[in-house]
Amino acid sequence: MRRRGLPQGLRTSLLLAPALAVVLLLFGGGVVMGVLASFGYQPFLPGRELSLDAYRGLLDDVEVRRSLILTFRIALVSTLVSAVLAVGAALLLRGTRHGRRAALLVFQLNLPVPHLVGAAAMLLLLGQSGLVSRLLFAVGLVDAPSGAPILTNDAIGWAIMAEYVWKEVPFIGVVVLAALSGGVSDLEDAARSLGAGAWSRFRFVVLPHITPAVVSTSIIVFAFTFGSYEVPLLLGQPFPATLPVVAFQAYSDTDLTARPRAMAIAVVITFLVVLVVLAYTVLTERVLRPAERRRVAGT
Amino acid sequence: MRSRALVLAGTVALALTACGGQDDTTAATPDPSAASAGGFEAVLAEAKGQTVDWYMYGGDDRLNTYVNGYVKTELAKVGVTLNQVKITDTAEAVNKVLGEKAAGKDSEGSVDLIWINGENFATLKQADAVECGYLEDLPSTKNVDLTKPGIATDFGLETEGCEVPWQQATSSLVYDSTALSAEDVASVESLFAWSQKNPGKLTYAAPPDFNGSMAVRTFFFDTAGGADQFLGTFDQAKYDAAAPKLFERLNAVEPSLWREGKTYPAAQTEVETLFANGEIDAYLTYGSSGIGALVDKGTLPKTTRSAVFQDGNIGNYSFTAIPSNAAHKAAAKVLANLLLSPPAALENAGPDGAGFTSAIDLAKLPADQGAEFEALGASPYQVPAAELAAKTLPEVVSEYVTELEKDWKANVLQQ
């Protein structure tokens, strides 16, 4: 089906205009103000010149350096574990119609639960006076509830990653399940009739089919976990803390001259997330799309 | 107890109507002594129908109950609606005001009143974003000694009529009497000695948490041999001479703290949870007067006691301040006045309140009312009010506070 080119383009832009206006004004405006503030722009403190001092300061700031490593590790591990578990769960549960319906229900159950509630639940579950440690104590595996392994407010960030995985597996899973419903079983049957084994069917039929869904949701998960504040605040420790926590600590510093540092960290977070999204775009254009085109051309 | 509260509430209503009646006559006969009362009448009239957005630390359940119960009801009687905006850090409200001012919003701002003191007040004042010069208009301020050092200055900074006193906070050490003896809690020295014999049972919140910052200052004064030398303006040389010894001492005791001092709780609520769960046996708090009620409620064990170090305990006043761009200044003034009124203070200090001590100077009240205050807050689980107030150490200028917070982070937390 073809429509005339120009009116359609115009119509698309017109339809998109309200959404774009909100994004550009509210989000773009916020980013511009943030960048300005990171250069030291503070209208209520007159007589200060714009400079890159805040960024220079970040380079030899041990708090920010260690925070960057921690944030990156937590976001990466959470994303990878979530993606693997989500794909596994989706593949296991798509079998029967009943299975899929039940799986969808389970997957969608925790989607509306806020991260904050999830984080509080992790605290009650994994904290040293939490349910798990009390159970371990009750069955005599540890001498005191506080003798249980330290999983919250720890250096590794176990509880933070657990919360992210708990919340993001269903998110990726639901999208993968949707991708799996798009005629992939017909293709698998065709491959099977041509003699393809289970591994070959997964590798050459299922995987290419779900890769765009997995990659795009993983990027969203990574960007979110990299920039999330409330979960590491509740479940992390004061030092090293993740970048958003450090940024907010600096932002709520009562000394107004600390404000540019807070904004510089926020800008760095934004920059890194944008980099990841750009990398994803390049990846899908160069690597994933040609494969898809070939597949489409072949059918 | 409850019936007395009701009687008191009735008294307030009566007093308010009495004020209204009085004003009609004073308006006709100009009298200089009635000028302030007349000023407040005008404020009351303007406030009628307004909604006051009060930004305050929202982590204290009992205080929230008091605010949304008693205070809200009393405000409604004069036609003012209270909207409590709970925040975790007062700096959030200050940031909101500064953000709005930066965006050119010099009136109709969204923050009407902030529960504030110390560094946050200094920030508001530094940015010239606070309303000043209305204290004499508020009838309740006559019950307060406005010249008292802790009230005329807030963490060393002159208040200059830019904030209304509300409560006083005195610190004490809360401990489990089955784990620590009276000798163990006598001084910072003996507490640290106890901690080294009982590893993992002591901690404090990481500054800039309000209570954690107080704990570090307590240790600082103790290490430097007293608080008096730090009164007055910030002296970098004095600070530089004393601070390294503090960090050396804190790092020495660190391995015996909770989780071997590898990390610290990020907030006082975490510290209190650790104590309630028996993970730690002692902690320093500003909430000295609320301990008895927490034991009665069953949150804390019956073996809980509190004590003050023989060399003194830090105390301060907290205030309410109106941002200069507030949309409902009249309603904010009415609220600030109500909070400081004797009936509201009595309710707050009592069993149905938050257990906070008012900034009211009991000597300025009629004798029977003063006695009512003194009878409240007595509990076998907490230090008596007289002992709390006996050796109160003053707060020092906020430069010391921020320097200590910054250097503690670099020299203790990040080591």
Side-chain angles (χ1 to χ4, degrees), chain A residues 6-56:
Chain A
L6 204 130
Q8 197 204 358
L10 195 66
R11 200 173 57 177
T12 313
S13 356
L14 277 176
L15 284 171
L16 277 176
L20 280 179
V22 170
V23 169
L24 282 180
L25 277 174
L26 295 182
F27 179 72
V31 170
V32 169
M33 287 305 290
V35 171
L36 276 178
S38 73
F39 293 144
Y41 172 73
Q42 279 175 304
F44 39 79
L45 277 189
R48 291 170 54 88
E49 285 177 10
L50 300 191
S51 75
L52 284 168
D53 288 354
Y55 291 93
R56 274 188 219 110

Side-chain angles (χ1 to χ4, degrees), chain B residues 143-233:
Chain B
N143 301 322
V144 183
D145 183 358
L146 291 173
T147 58
K148 199 172 174 175
I151 289 180
T153 61
D154 180 356
F155 282 72
L157 182 71
E158 302 277 337
T159 54
E160 292 175 335
C162 300
E163 47 180 0
V164 184
W166 180 25
Q167 318 192 102
Q168 47 181 313
T170 35
S171 64
S172 62
L173 181 80
V174 179
Y175 66 100
D176 186 334
S177 55
T178 57
L180 287 91
S181 68
E183 290 79 51
D184 292 329
V185 299
S187 67
V188 174
E189 188 63 48
S190 60
L191 179 69
F192 282 176
W194 168 84
S195 174
Q196 264 151 351
K197 277 178 275 162
N198 301 274
K201 291 295 195 177
L202 179 71
T203 194
Y204 51 95
D209 176 273
F210 195 52
N211 285 273
S213 187
M214 174 272 292
V216 170
R217 280 200 301 287
T218 303
F219 304 146
F220 177 62
F221 295 152
D222 187 76
T223 312
D228 291 347
Q229 53 187 308
F230 301 108
L231 292 183
T233 50

Side-chain angles (χ1 to χ4, degrees), chain A residues 12 54 65 81 125 149 153 165 184 224 245 249 276 297:
Chain A
T12 313
R65 276 207 313 263
V81 172
L125 192 67
N153 311 103
V165 169
V184 70
F224 176 81
V245 175
Q249 273 171 6
V276 170

